[in-house]
Amino acid sequence: MKQTALTIRTPEDFDFASTLYGHGWCTLAPFSVDASALALEQLIVLPSRKLVLCTISAGSESLRTIARSITPLSPSDRIAVHRIVSRCFRLGDDLGPFHRSVASEPAYRWIADRRAGRLLRSPTVFEDLVKMICTTNCSWALTTAMVRNLCNSLGRSFDGTRRAFPSARAIAASSEAFLRARVKAGYRASYLLELARSVDSGRLDPELWMDRSIPSSDVYAQLRMIKGVGDYAAGNMLKLLGRYEYLGLDSWVRAQYARLHHGGRRVKDSTIAKQYRRFGQWRGLLFWLEMTRQWYDSKFPFVE
DNA sequence: GCGTCCAGGTCTACC
DNA sequence: GGTAGACCTGGACGC
């Protein structure tokens, strides 16, 4: 096994724990967390098709990344690791305007203080989209099981114990019956298969949504055309694309909003939307952070 | 042990 | 455009 150490510089307003634990993505394979070492383990597939197991932790104004691979990494492989880790940890996102806009309000000053707002994402938009569909209409435990099953049954093996997230081609080559029986995706199986086949054939290229010149409303509309992607999934996909104009409401945040603002009484979605309208392009991010504030005040729920 | 409910929703048919 | 019912799974809960 070859080992390569990389130091990846982070922005001034970056915080490792806030990014790692800001939502549940760190618990979805092929991510895993070593809570005692405060490190993220991530198995990634490079453009050269090499598999690299990365252990990422906080350094001094940097991410300390140990990359393990079967064969040595070439200079272009090292650049690819740097690019993928930076993308997952949202190092290129400029949250300065957001932090400055909320710092003037006492209730939200903690967001800038905690350098919160970077939501961990996967190496590809396709991977995030598959995972997002797996969060719909089920418990978080089932989501983690479905994603783990996808990796274990269709992902490439690194060392016999760890498997990467499967490519669109690998999922496309499976079948609905397989995705139901082995992945336990249930009725989502047909959605995942159709999505994977669209991406594999080139009919759909989710990476295009990273282009900031495309209006968010257009990306949202394209997401909503995908079977299995409704308001919740589309809204939260946009957050992973760095677009925060949609709230992405689900039963958990609705209940949380009711607890925080209405003594537990449920309110209409339009009431929630009205409450956050004044935060403009940042409303989706501010909403999510307000709903999860207790995680930052006490303990992140994903820490063992 | 068994039945029911519901969880980080979405789709389709129908009105 | 709004709504009812169906849809996989698995854990929690009541009996």
Side-chain angles (χ1 to χ4, degrees):
Chain A
M1 189 71 66
K2 308 298 178 185
Q3 189 166 306
T4 307
L6 291 91
T7 300
I8 302 173
R9 192 143 185 86
T10 53
E12 267 185 32
D13 61 359
F14 176 80
D15 180 74
F16 186 79
S18 295
T19 305
L20 184 63
Y21 294 130
H23 67 145
W25 245 226
C26 62
T27 66
L28 298 180
F31 286 132
S32 64
V33 173
D34 180 345
S36 59
L38 191 56
L40 179 73
E41 199 165 83
Q42 177 182 14
L43 182 56
I44 58 181
V45 184
L46 302 184
S48 63
R49 292 190 43 80
K50 278 181 194 160
L51 290 175
V52 180
L53 181 63
C54 295
T55 304
I56 305 152
S57 56
S60 173
E61 296 179 354
S62 65
L63 290 178
R64 200 166 38 230
T65 302
I66 305 298
R68 296 178 181 80
S69 52
I70 304 299
T71 57
L73 296 185
S74 68
S76 61
D77 288 335
R78 291 168 60 100
I79 291 170
V81 171
H82 189 291
R83 181 179 54 76
I84 292 170
V85 171
S86 298
R87 173 176 173 148
C88 294
F89 278 83
R90 316 292 294 264
L91 302 186
D93 289 18
D94 180 11
L95 292 187
F98 172 59
H99 286 157
R100 282 192 291 278
S101 69
V102 297
S104 60
E105 298 203 28
Y108 300 123
R109 199 167 290 153
W110 69 273
I111 293 172
D113 292 345
R114 292 298 303 260
R115 303 172 183 180
R118 288 188 165 79
L119 303 175
L120 190 72
R121 64 183 170 196
S122 304
T124 68
V125 180
F126 169 72
E127 183 174 331
D128 277 335
L129 189 48
V130 169
K131 289 174 175 174
M132 195 63 74
I133 290 173
C134 289
T135 68
T136 57
N137 196 28
C138 65
S139 63
W140 187 252
L142 183 54
T143 295
T144 58
M146 281 189 273
V147 175
R148 187 174 59 244
N149 293 339
L150 260 179
C151 294
N152 288 342
S153 59
L154 295 172
R156 287 171 57 205
S157 174
F158 174 69
D159 56 3
T161 58
R162 297 178 183 83
R163 287 180 176 272
F165 192 83
S167 64
R169 175 153 299 178
I171 298 175
S174 70
S175 67
E176 185 175 335
F178 181 90
L179 295 173
R180 282 175 180 267
R182 289 286 297 279
V183 176
K184 303 293 183 188
Y187 68 89
R188 302 168 198 81
S190 62
Y191 302 156
L192 298 177
L193 196 59
E194 186 174 327
L195 169 63
R197 288 179 174 166
S198 295
V199 172
D200 182 48
S201 68
R203 290 196 303 277
L204 178 69
D205 183 1
E207 291 301 320
L208 294 178
W209 301 329
M210 294 289 283
D211 180 353
R212 298 310 304 265
S213 69
I214 305 173
S216 295
S217 56
D218 288 3
V219 178
Y220 182 86
Q222 289 178 43
L223 279 161
R224 290 290 276 106
M225 289 174 69
I226 296 168
K227 288 275 185 64
V229 177
D231 286 335
Y232 152 82
N236 284 295
M237 274 306 297
L238 285 179
K239 291 176 190 169
L240 297 182
L241 292 164
R243 303 161 183 268
Y244 306 104
E245 296 95 330
Y246 296 81
L247 300 185
L249 299 175
D250 58 37
S251 58
W252 187 83
V253 294
R254 286 187 183 98
Q256 185 70 352
Y257 182 85
R259 277 192 291 274
L260 292 174
H261 293 287
H262 295 275
R265 184 177 54 84
R266 301 293 180 100
V267 296
K268 288 191 292 188
D269 289 355
S270 56
T271 303
I272 303 176
K274 202 171 165 185
Q275 186 70 24
Y276 292 88
R277 198 169 296 152
R278 70 188 176 93
F279 296 103
Q281 62 168 323
W282 299 107
R283 57 189 179 271
L285 183 56
L286 182 105
F287 172 66
W288 174 252
L289 291 171
E290 189 183 347
M291 295 305 103
T292 57
R293 162 143 197 197
Q294 68 191 57
W295 298 358
Y296 296 82
D297 286 344
S298 52
K299 183 174 180 289
F300 289 105
F302 314 110
V303 184
E304 293 295 325

